[in-house]
Amino acid sequence: MSIRLNLDLVEKATIMGKALNRTTLKQIEHWAKICEMTEDNPDFPAKMLNAPVSMCLNEQSERA
């Protein structure tokens, strides 16, 4: 199956994916999974989503 995606989204996913050692596709799948979790759990505090992202970015900067 193929789908059309906004070029800006693909470019952002490519940049973020490289920073987190993911392919563009895996980065978009990751974002989709996070969005699915937030829609399934609307009372989940948004602040808690930022912690794992920050941890991932910190891990990447420590490896460099």
Side-chain angles (χ1 to χ4, degrees):
M1 174 197 313
S2 65
I3 59 172
R4 293 180 188 260
L5 298 173
N6 177 285
L7 184 58
D8 289 338
L9 172 68
V10 173
E11 289 173 351
K12 289 177 185 177
T14 301
I15 292 166
M16 186 62 91
K18 285 181 182 178
L20 298 172
N21 292 323
R22 294 186 183 115
T23 64
T24 302
L25 175 61
K26 289 295 181 186
Q27 184 62 40
I28 291 171
E29 289 173 346
H30 177 72
W31 285 340
K33 189 180 293 184
I34 291 171
C35 290
E36 181 182 19
M37 288 187 295
T38 58
E39 286 183 351
D40 289 345
N41 300 285
D43 296 330
F44 191 75
K47 285 183 180 180
M48 293 183 75
L49 287 176
N50 291 332
V53 172
S54 296
M55 287 172 32
C56 288
L57 293 175
N58 287 337
E59 281 182 20
Q60 291 301 317
S61 65
E62 289 173 5
R63 289 184 201 169

